[in-house]
Amino acid sequence: MNILGRLGGALLGGSFAVFGSGAVRDPAALARLAGPALEEIRKVVPLPKDDELLVRVNGAVQTGAGAALAIGLFPRTSALALAGSLIPTTYAGHPFWTIEDPAQRKAQRTQFLKNAAMLGGLLVVAGAGRKGAASGTGISAG
């Protein structure tokens, strides 16, 4: 991997490691925020009822996979794990479509779109070939 790829992995993975470790250490506020979305998800997926446990598990995935991506360890697998954790995080944490106040709705939409951009970056990493070419994106290492 070239220097830009290493820097990108460190920035992308490092941010997940920081946010994930916060969720592991102090899940209460995030669990309250995620509660309504988790109830909706439980209608189709059998999840434990302990929202704080789910936030901690998600945080642990983000911490571990984020750290791995940051140091270049199994980058494709790490990126897929992070992508998998980011989708429910974004759905639960930034449901802008449910907010009526225009300013709050705009702020949550911005956060949602930032997460979508991070998801895009993770998918580019996950889709990268063994020599650094991201399949189908036109992006290559050299």
Side-chain angles (χ1 to χ4, degrees):
M1 183 181 297
N2 66 28
I3 189 71
L4 292 177
R6 289 183 191 279
L7 179 60
L11 291 170
L12 190 57
S15 63
F16 279 100
V18 169
F19 293 132
S21 66
V24 170
R25 285 191 315 272
D26 188 17
L30 293 173
R32 281 191 302 278
L33 180 63
L38 289 172
E39 284 305 315
E40 288 298 313
I41 293 169
R42 283 186 183 102
K43 292 177 182 177
V44 293
V45 177
L47 293 175
K49 296 287 185 194
D50 186 344
D51 292 349
E52 286 193 20
L53 172 67
L54 294 172
V55 167
R56 278 195 167 111
V57 168
N58 190 58
V61 169
Q62 290 185 350
T63 301
L69 181 60
I71 63 171
L73 185 64
F74 306 113
R76 295 170 72 194
T77 303
S78 299
L80 283 174
L82 290 169
S85 78
L86 187 59
I87 293 168
T89 297
T90 302
Y91 175 76
H94 305 294
F96 68 90
W97 55 91
T98 66
I99 299 172
E100 298 206 15
D101 177 79
Q104 288 182 359
R105 184 181 185 101
K106 182 178 179 181
Q108 287 303 313
R109 186 178 61 233
T110 297
Q111 294 303 315
F112 183 95
L113 292 172
K114 284 181 184 179
N115 281 13
M118 291 176 77
L119 178 61
L122 291 168
L123 294 176
V124 168
V125 172
R130 298 217 184 259
K131 294 186 181 184
S135 303
T137 65
I139 299 170
S140 68

